[in-house]
Amino acid sequence: MTSNHIILVNEQDEALATMEKLEAHQKGLLHRAFSVFVVNSANEMLLHQRAFHKYHSGGLWTNACCSHPKPGEEVEEAAHRRLQEEMGFDCPLQKLFTFTYHATFDNGLIEHEYDHVFLGRFDGEVVPDIAEVDEYGFFSLQEIARQIRDTPERFTYWFKVAFPMVVEQLEK
C-alpha cells in the first residue's frame, strides 16, 4: 500500500476501506480528513495560499493545513505530522468538531470529506514548504470574515464552511 492511500468512511466515520487518493477524489467517495486552524496570542489566524500547482484549489487561501490521515494513522497524529511538513512547526492541538462536506471542482475532482477540525495556538516562526504554500500570514478574524464576504472565490470551499464554526468556538 502506498502513502497516497486514504481511508474511506461512512457517515459515522467508521473506516470501510482504503483507496488511492486521486481515485477517491475522482469518484467522490466519503473519506477521512482533517483541517488545522492556528491562531496566535493576538487572536490572529494563520492562513496560507495553496501552491498554484496543487491538484485542486491551487492558489486559494485556506487554514494552516489540511490533509488525510494515512491508513493506520490516528487523525491527531496526522494533523501534527502535516502541520510540521507544510508549515514547518508543530504546536499543541485541540479537537474542536467534525463536519462533512461535498464539493465538486472545475477540474472534475470531488471532495467528499468527513473532516476533523483542530485548533492550535502558536507564536513562533513559520517555515512553510514552498512546494505546498505560495504565501502565508496571520490575519485578524474580522479581516478574514470581510475578505470571505467580499471575495469568496479567493478561499477554499472547506475553509469557508469551517471558518464561522471555528470563530464560534474561539468566542466561547
Side-chain angles (χ1 to χ4, degrees):
M1 187 175 307
T2 71
S3 63
N4 284 330
H5 277 71
I6 59 177
I7 304 162
L8 303 181
V9 298
N10 63 19
E11 292 289 338
Q12 292 74 47
D13 194 34
E14 297 167 332
L16 303 175
T18 63
M19 182 177 282
E20 198 279 323
K21 180 171 74 170
L22 185 57
E23 182 181 1
H25 287 100
Q26 290 167 335
K27 294 179 175 180
L29 300 177
L30 184 61
H31 57 276
R32 189 173 292 152
F34 60 85
S35 296
V36 177
F37 287 74
V38 173
V39 295
N40 62 18
S41 58
N43 213 33
E44 297 167 319
M45 188 175 284
L46 175 61
L47 300 186
H48 82 273
Q49 184 180 34
R50 288 170 58 91
F52 283 86
H53 69 269
K54 298 287 278 187
Y55 69 107
H56 71 74
S57 305
L60 298 183
W61 286 84
T62 198
N63 46 289
C65 78
C66 45
S67 190
H68 311 91
K70 298 175 183 179
E73 183 178 39
E74 293 298 320
V75 179
E76 185 172 343
E77 176 187 348
H80 283 286
R81 172 183 53 79
R82 202 65 190 134
L83 185 58
Q84 180 66 52
E85 290 171 355
E86 280 194 38
M87 302 307 288
F89 70 88
D90 194 12
C91 64
L93 298 176
Q94 170 192 0
K95 186 168 181 182
L96 296 182
F97 56 86
T98 61
F99 73 104
T100 302
Y101 73 94
H102 186 277
T104 302
F105 300 104
D106 292 341
N107 64 2
L109 294 179
I110 303 164
E111 281 280 27
H112 190 190
E113 296 193 333
Y114 191 104
D115 199 359
H116 297 253
V117 178
F118 293 89
L119 175 67
R121 297 186 183 275
F122 183 74
D123 284 306
E125 183 180 7
V126 178
V127 186
D129 177 351
I130 59 171
E132 299 285 342
V133 176
D134 265 27
E135 293 185 47
Y136 71 94
F138 282 92
F139 302 91
S140 75
L141 302 178
Q142 296 79 13
E143 174 62 19
I144 295 167
R146 186 188 67 74
Q147 288 284 333
I148 291 172
R149 183 191 71 233
D150 293 349
T151 57
E153 70 280 359
R154 294 181 60 223
F155 296 89
T156 62
Y157 180 89
W158 61 90
F159 178 73
K160 292 182 287 189
V161 173
F163 176 74
M165 293 186 282
V166 171
V167 170
E168 181 180 313
Q169 294 290 317
L170 287 169
E171 291 174 347
K172 285 185 177 182

